[in-house]
Amino acid sequence: MRTVRGWFRETTGGLPATFWYLWAGTLINRLGSFVLIFLAIYLTQERGFSELQAGLVLGLWGVGGAVGTTVGGTLTDRWGRRPTLLTAHVGAASMMLALGFARPLWAVATGALLLGLFAEAARPAFGAMMIDVVPERDRLRAFSLNYWAINLGFASAAVLAGFAAEVDYLLLFVIDAATTLTTALVIFVKVRETRQPSVSVPASLGGAAVPKSALRTILTDRIYLGFVALNLLSALVFLQHISMLPIAMGEDGLSTSTYGSVIALNGVLIVVGQLFVPRLIRGRSRSHVLALAALVMGVGFGLTAFAEAAWFYGLTVLIWTLGEMLNSPSNSTLIAELSPAELRGRYQGVFSLSWQVAGAVAPVLGGLVRQEAGNVTLWLGCAVIGAVVAAVHLLSGPARERRAVALRPRAVPPVEPATTLVPPAPQAAEAAATAPTEPSTTR
């Protein structure tokens, strides 16, 4: 019992109150994240759209997300984390309801585009706020705890959404909107602005140059952009589980509730095991961990080519989930160390952009490959991509780590120590003063 209590304290103790409010908001939001899980099935089975039309709608959601993360990253640095989060959540809830009531294809497509824009605009702000309030030494477990909350909610949502869809698909949109608004309420009541004053330092210290040089800084950061490109390739594989996987299972005669139960295994495994991952990978080469994660994920999706029964689909989900569990915390801590503090929101936005580009391309590309070359080719292609990403991680990892070490000593311009508005702020202020080059996860 003492060992369990000690592990629990080691895993959850010492994190600031703002982190736990963000964590609670994440859990509430994910408990109602019904729509995206079943959107492909809704469009093809309930609305009668073709696979290509469904892929295009999902692709527009990704396009909207790409715009949202870009705008959200800029607003996070200039306007603030809190107002960006609140605007994004309220807008996403509104668009969720609009999409549920939309009927013509053009209205559904427009709703998906705007939903993607608002929903994904929150990612850079959330990631930047997490880094603002959590000291560098605690980030690995903080990101793991947040990812655990995401998947606890996802596992529950996948099962509940399957049954809700059999009652009425509109219920999916209503519940999703309600939980999104609840998250906005938690942020409004409990979370204060965490952006550091150093984001807008006086012109005499070079502050005026930050907005003008931000894009150039990112576009010339080849090491970071290479890392983002690898995430894009991984995301193209990973996002097939919400676009082509439900369609493949449907063609094998499996129901929506069966798909919900199978995909829920992803969340269940993460809930059971994710909190042990930080201890498992602590002190190990991040490049090796990321390479192993990409390889395991590729194998899991590749085996889907041979699946026909629910148990086999479930086995493939469990395999690629192991890769996802290894990938997420290593990704998050590395992004944090590769991003300058004054451009934290924009760097978060660029990383999130890789997910949105994948969200736009993955369903269209997956549908095209499946339609023209067949189901087996699609999933075996995923395995090949996983192997390529693993190899490149091994080759590029040393340069990334050298960059992280080189950035670590840099300090925020010697103005007054950053004063945060975070409730228990000593740790956040210490992190801002000593770890200026950092950022964060989702799924």
Side-chain angles (χ1 to χ4, degrees):
M1 182 62 72
R2 288 182 179 177
T3 302
V4 173
R5 287 178 181 173
W7 168 81
F8 185 77
R9 277 196 301 268
E10 182 183 342
T11 303
T12 63
L15 294 171
T18 299
F19 165 79
W20 289 112
Y21 292 134
L22 293 171
W23 183 90
T26 295
L27 180 60
I28 293 168
N29 199 359
R30 292 292 175 164
L31 283 170
S33 58
F34 288 0
V35 170
L36 193 56
I37 299 173
F38 282 90
L39 188 56
I41 295 176
Y42 167 73
L43 293 172
T44 54
Q45 295 187 10
E46 177 73 7
R47 303 304 316 283
F49 296 138
S50 68
E51 290 184 14
L52 183 58
Q53 288 173 322
L56 289 173
V57 170
L58 288 168
L60 283 173
W61 180 90
V63 170
V67 175
T69 54
T70 303
V71 174
T74 300
L75 290 177
T76 295
D77 287 336
R78 292 187 174 182
W79 190 22
R81 282 69 155 134
R82 185 172 182 267
T84 302
L85 279 174
L86 289 172
T87 303
H89 279 86
V90 172
S94 303
M95 290 303 104
M96 198 82 68
L97 291 175
L99 182 59
F101 287 104
R103 289 295 172 264
L105 178 59
W106 69 266
V108 172
T110 303
L113 177 72
L114 293 175
L115 175 59
L117 189 153
F118 281 107
E120 298 306 318
R123 280 183 182 267
F126 185 89
M129 186 172 275
M130 284 270 289
I131 298 162
D132 289 343
V133 302
V134 179
E136 182 181 353
R137 65 180 180 273
D138 294 327
R139 284 178 187 154
L140 180 61
R141 61 193 180 97
F143 291 135
S144 293
L145 283 166
N146 190 66
Y147 199 61
W148 183 83
I150 288 172
N151 285 278
L152 176 60
F154 178 78
S156 303
V159 175
L160 294 174
F163 292 108
E166 293 180 353
V167 175
D168 188 346
Y169 272 100
L170 181 60
L171 198 58
L172 302 179
F173 297 89
V174 172
I175 295 175
D176 208 333
T179 54
T180 302
L181 283 176
T182 303
T183 301
L185 182 62
V186 171
I187 294 168
F188 180 75
V189 174
K190 292 294 185 180
V191 177
R192 305 165 103 184
E193 180 57 62
T194 64
R195 185 177 55 153
Q196 304 296 322
S198 59
V199 172
S200 53
V201 296
S204 61
L205 294 174
V210 169
K212 295 180 181 179
S213 64
L215 181 61
R216 184 173 59 192
T217 298
I218 296 172
L219 292 179
T220 56
D221 192 341
R222 291 180 295 176
I223 290 178
Y224 186 75
L225 291 180
F227 180 63
V228 171
L230 288 177
N231 188 72
L232 171 61
L233 289 175
S234 295
L236 287 174
V237 173
F238 179 75
L239 291 178
Q240 298 302 323
H241 82 280
I242 58 173
S243 54
M244 293 302 108
L245 181 59
I247 293 174
M249 291 182 66
E251 287 191 354
D252 283 333
L254 301 173
S255 67
T256 55
S257 59
T258 300
Y259 167 70
S261 298
V262 166
I263 204 65
L265 293 173
N266 168 259
V268 170
L269 182 57
I270 292 175
V271 167
V272 171
Q274 188 67 42
L275 296 183
F276 298 95
V277 170
R279 178 174 293 184
L280 179 66
I281 66 176
R282 187 182 301 148
R284 300 184 185 276
S285 166
R286 278 185 293 204
S287 302
H288 292 173
V289 172
L290 289 169
L292 179 61
L295 192 61
V296 172
M297 199 178 300
V299 169
F301 279 99
L303 288 173
T304 309
F306 311 105
E308 293 180 351
W311 71 267
F312 203 147
Y313 279 110
L315 177 63
T316 66
V317 169
L318 291 175
I319 293 172
W320 57 255
T321 298
L322 291 173
E324 181 189 358
M325 291 168 66
L326 294 172
N327 181 76
S328 177
S330 298
N331 246 358
S332 298
T333 56
L334 191 54
I335 298 164
E337 293 186 29
L338 292 177
S339 306
E342 67 275 11
L343 299 177
R344 189 167 285 163
R346 291 173 177 87
Y347 266 67
Q348 287 285 322
V350 170
F351 183 76
S352 296
L353 184 61
S354 67
W355 282 101
Q356 305 322 311
V357 171
V361 173
V364 178
L365 184 60
L368 185 63
V369 171
R370 197 169 182 278
Q371 184 174 291
E372 300 298 326
N375 189 61
V376 172
T377 301
L378 169 65
W379 301 114
L380 292 182
C382 289
V384 172
I385 293 175
V388 170
V389 171
V392 178
H393 268 306
L394 292 176
L395 293 173
S396 60
R400 290 196 302 260
E401 296 300 333
R402 286 194 297 271
R403 168 64 63 83
V405 170
L407 288 175
R408 210 167 287 152
R410 292 183 184 177
V412 175
V415 289
E416 297 181 277
T419 302
T420 69
L421 297 177
V422 182
Q427 292 175 324
E430 178 186 345
T434 59
T437 54
E438 304 131 310
S440 155
T441 184
T442 142
R443 193 197 253 241

